[in-house]
Amino acid sequence: MPQNIPPLGAPPLHRQFPQMDRVVHRREGWAAMIAMSSSRIATYESIRSENLHGWHTGDGMLYLYTADLRQFGENHWATLDPHRLPGTTVDVQLPRADGSGEGYLPPVDWVGGACLTEPYGVAGMQLNAWGSTLSAKKSWFLFDNEVVCLGSGITATDGRPIETVVENRRLAAYGDNPLLVNGAPRPGSPGLGEVLPGVSWAALAGNVPGAEIGYVFPQPTTLSVQREIRAGSPSDINTPYGDPTRVESPYLTLSIDHGLSPSNATYAYVLLPGFRATDVARYAASPQVV
């Protein structure tokens, strides 16, 4: 019998799951999943006092899987800021109670996508937020090496700030993963936040080799950067079965502030999984998408 046969790598693919309003895109070394909602599929489900803070998971959350296989495991959901899920456009100061909006079916049908020449794809959704006047159109174009994220028509009239969350990544133990913005290193200690105008690109070092991520902004963008140590317990989001032990994790959040009650605001950025800083700078100077 043959010995030590190496496993066959997962083939690249793009799949639409219209009965779930979900999209899966897989390439060598990384994968992306987009969670959407519509008049058919609720924004999230909370049953028996579980998933109490899943408020925005169906509002366009983008799960980016890299070589960091622990990113979404362990205490991720107990410590992640539930108001700032990566990929979402949110009314961040809207008060939310445990389980609020559970089962909400947005009154929109423009949600879905298509598989282009395999393995490329496109997805889009019309956002109609629960408990808010926030609405927007969100689209994703998924290619060989990048995910292009676009938003338009971002409008709200409630007098609260609206943000698009480019990233909310759990960091290594000390929360000091190097971050370069336009080639310059930014402060690396948790608890530091800043608003940076004119950002063309950023590069975040991964928790493990192969988990680096690049962010390119086709038009210079004002970017909010926040490092923080977040604390919580599994019982906060899963009352009957969660462990009440308090846990902590460091995070880096990158977001675009659309201001109070924006009207027809937009955003555009490109995610580059596995790109080191030099590769991100090179891509930003000569982007493969326009």
Side-chain angles (χ1 to χ4, degrees), residues 20-22 36-45 58 101-106:
M20 300 170 62
D21 286 344
R22 297 296 190 267
M36 303 178 290
S37 55
S38 66
S39 59
R40 307 177 303 275
I41 303 297
T43 51
Y44 82 108
E45 183 179 81
E102 187 276 331
Y104 171 61
L105 294 169

Side-chain angles (χ1 to χ4, degrees), residues 19-20 36 48 51 54 57-58 64 69 87 154 165-166 169 181 192 207 214 225 266 278-279:
Q19 294 185 349
M20 300 170 62
M36 303 178 290
R48 298 185 305 177
N51 193 31
T57 46
L64 184 58
L69 300 181
I154 301 169
V165 185
V166 175
R169 203 80 179 164
V181 176
L192 297 178
N207 295 338
V225 180
T266 63
T278 53
D279 301 319

Side-chain angles (χ1 to χ4, degrees), residues 23-175:
V23 174
V24 174
H25 184 82
R26 188 173 66 204
R27 303 295 298 174
E28 184 177 355
W30 64 277
M33 195 279 282
I34 302 168
M36 303 178 290
S37 55
S38 66
S39 59
R40 307 177 303 275
I41 303 297
T43 51
Y44 82 108
E45 183 179 81
S46 177
I47 298 174
R48 298 185 305 177
S49 297
E50 299 179 74
N51 193 31
L52 293 173
H53 297 168
W55 305 311
H56 298 293
T57 46
D59 287 343
M61 182 177 181
L62 193 154
Y63 299 74
L64 184 58
Y65 296 89
T66 66
D68 179 15
L69 300 181
R70 300 172 64 185
Q71 178 63 215
F72 297 104
E74 298 175 340
N75 297 309
H76 173 266
W77 291 106
T79 53
L80 177 70
D81 183 348
H83 297 281
R84 291 184 170 90
L85 305 185
T88 60
T89 299
V90 287
D91 187 339
V92 290
Q93 292 184 5
L94 173 69
R96 297 298 298 257
D98 289 351
S100 61
E102 187 276 331
Y104 171 61
L105 294 169
V108 295
D109 296 321
W110 187 78
V111 176
C115 182
L116 308 178
T117 302
E118 183 73 24
Y120 306 135
V122 60
M125 70 175 292
Q126 183 173 348
L127 174 68
N128 186 289
W130 176 87
S132 170
T133 60
L134 172 61
S135 62
K137 290 183 173 66
K138 299 172 66 67
S139 299
W140 299 267
F141 297 82
L142 304 107
F143 299 118
D144 284 317
N145 302 307
E146 62 265 282
V147 179
V148 180
C149 307
L150 303 177
S152 63
I154 301 169
T155 299
T157 59
D158 302 296
R160 293 185 295 265
I162 305 299
E163 295 180 16
T164 292
V165 185
V166 175
E167 184 61 277
N168 196 345
R169 203 80 179 164
R170 192 158 58 134
L171 303 177
Y174 297 105

